[in-house]
Amino acid sequence: MIEFFNVTLSYKNEFLLKDITFKINKGDFVYLTGRSGVGKSSILKLIYFDEFPDSGNVTVNNFSSSQIMINEIPVLRRTIGVIFQDYKLLPDRNVFENVAFALRVTGAKSKEIRKKTVRVLTEVGMGHKRNQYPPQLSGGEQQLTAIARALINNPFVLLADEPTGNLDSRASNQIMNILEKINHRGTAVLMASHNLNIIKQYPHRRLNLENGAIKEV
Ligand SMILES: Nc1ncnc2c1ncn2[C@@H]1O[C@H](COP(=O)(O)OP(=O)(O)OP(=O)(O)O)[C@@H](O)[C@H]1O
Ligand SMILES: [Mg+2]
């Protein structure tokens, strides 16, 4: 479902990733580790086709980085949920609208939008805060909202870039419990993380990135 084959990526003539090959299968939970600046976020960008390899190939379901057409990229992205370290919520829209927005752009009917949005907000424990605005929320609550937004289109994979990066251990555990639950329901999770405590506490397959190469550890 996600396959990197001999992927090389460089910025300004400097190699970041060299001949990276790995696979993530349906329903996997995989950590992506490695020191800051090693290229973890870049790997996630390659998966949602925000970045393209200099050579090699990234395949995501039926799409391949060497063949995808520009107008197919939004179609692919609707099948992938992404959460960012800095949440990227719209500050002038409330929790409900931040999540519903991802469905509105698909042209869904308002009754369906309401039903799905309430369901996914309830699932992450944010139903009662649906009328609040992001600046009124804690970091953990903003991340829960971002998870709800990522799940609204029922993605086959959730890409989580340091989802616990700015959170204390209680909020981090809450996020991890939700990621585990989502994974048990069949959604694959690829999570970039520095947090070895969390990784120890919630053991899963781990890919470590070092000097442009990836190793299963
Ligand atoms: N669009 C870009 N143009 C030029 N350089 C870039 C670009 N995107 C990333 N880089 C560089 O590539 C390197 C890897 O960045 P990346 O964000 O993938 O690292 P990371 O492993 O996610 O780091 P962190 O743990 O700090 O989030 C960095 O040195 C960064 O400056
Ligand atoms: Mg990063």
Side-chain angles (χ1 to χ4, degrees):
M1 48 150 31
I2 295 175
E3 186 165 11
F4 277 51
F5 182 72
N6 286 349
V7 171
T8 295
L9 177 70
S10 45
Y11 290 122
K12 299 179 196 134
N13 300 327
E14 231 178 276
F15 283 115
L16 183 63
L17 308 174
K18 283 177 240 161
D19 272 344
I20 298 261
T21 296
F22 68 89
K23 239 189 224 178
I24 291 173
N25 294 311
K26 204 163 175 269
D28 277 357
F29 195 128
V30 181
Y31 292 116
L32 184 58
T33 57
R35 65 165 180 76
S36 185
V38 78
K40 301 181 296 296
S41 298
S42 299
I43 285 192
L44 301 184
K45 284 181 189 163
L46 285 160
I47 296 172
Y48 58 91
F49 292 2
D50 190 29
E51 203 55 85
F52 286 84
D54 295 308
S55 62
N57 196 49
V58 178
T59 308
V60 180
N61 289 337
N62 300 322
F63 296 106
S64 131
S65 57
S66 47
Q67 282 167 358
I68 193 164
M69 313 280 266
I70 293 286
N71 64 353
E72 291 172 330
I73 292 178
V75 179
L76 166 90
R77 286 195 186 150
R78 250 170 249 153
T79 70
I80 297 177
V82 187
I83 58 178
F84 305 93
Q85 188 169 354
D86 59 355
Y87 321 126
K88 293 200 199 298
L89 299 173
L90 302 169
D92 56 347
R93 295 193 190 212
N94 67 20
V95 164
F96 182 91
E97 275 307 319
N98 263 280
V99 176
F101 184 71
L103 267 183
R104 291 201 199 289
V105 299
T106 68
K109 295 218 169 68
S110 63
K111 194 172 158 193
E112 187 196 344
I113 292 174
R114 169 130 219 111
K115 207 167 109 191
K116 284 192 176 165
T117 304
V118 168
R119 189 198 300 149
V120 80
L121 280 173
T122 306
E123 196 176 1
V124 302
M126 284 297 290
H128 63 302
K129 299 245 169 165
R130 64 185 176 280
N131 295 321
Q132 303 222 27
Y133 287 78
Q136 307 169 323
L137 302 174
S138 71
E141 290 165 344
Q142 292 185 55
Q143 189 61 288
L144 292 170
T145 306
I147 293 174
R149 179 183 57 187
L151 294 178
I152 193 80
N153 283 318
N154 201 16
F156 79 92
V157 66
L158 181 66
L159 308 178
D161 201 350
E162 294 280 358
T164 64
N166 295 319
L167 306 177
D168 68 13
S169 67
R170 197 182 137 270
S172 297
N173 281 314
Q174 193 182 5
I175 299 287
M176 288 309 296
N177 287 331
I178 288 172
L179 296 186
E180 294 272 340
K181 188 169 88 182
I182 294 164
N183 181 245
H184 283 141
R185 275 200 333 232
T187 304
V189 176
L190 177 59
M191 170 172 158
S193 184
H194 284 122
N195 193 333
L196 294 181
N197 275 336
I198 286 280
I199 292 174
K200 243 186 262 161
Q201 222 177 314
Y202 301 87
H204 291 290
R205 189 180 156 206
R206 176 175 161 203
L207 299 170
N208 189 57
L209 196 52
E210 196 181 333
N211 293 327
I214 218 156
K215 243 197 231 144
E216 191 109 27
V217 289

